[in-house]
Amino acid sequence: DGITSDNVVKTIEQKQDAEEKLSWIEEKLKDLYWFDAEVFKLYYRENFTLSEMARATKINKNTLYKAIKNVKEYLKNEK
């Protein structure tokens, strides 16, 4: 399986789509409570699991889960 121009174009388009989604999310996060926005950034951008975040921050997993859930619901409604 070699690299083709079609594969390169698809990869570039995927990266552009991902960057557009991240920009949109960043813009929407500005409207949210700071705690929820920061928790979501760690979860989404840095790919932390709830357990990793809880260990690192000493914040209860349930509290982190609720913040992430609130942001996900908000973003779904904003689409």
Side-chain angles (χ1 to χ4, degrees), residues 3-56:
I3 296 175
T4 66
S5 61
D6 286 344
N7 291 346
V8 172
V9 169
K10 285 180 186 174
T11 301
I12 291 170
E13 288 172 354
Q14 288 170 341
K15 285 185 179 185
Q16 287 171 337
D17 287 346
E19 287 175 22
E20 286 175 20
K21 286 178 186 174
L22 284 173
S23 293
W24 182 83
I25 290 170
E26 287 292 324
E27 194 60 37
K28 294 297 176 184
L29 289 178
K30 292 177 185 176
D31 298 334
L32 296 173
Y33 179 58
W34 71 269
F35 178 81
D36 290 355
E38 291 303 314
V39 167
F40 191 77
K41 285 178 189 178
L42 287 173
Y43 176 76
Y44 188 75
R45 261 200 237 139
E46 306 299 329
N47 294 319
F48 280 102
T49 66
L50 282 176
S51 295
E52 291 169 335
M53 289 171 65
R55 272 194 303 276

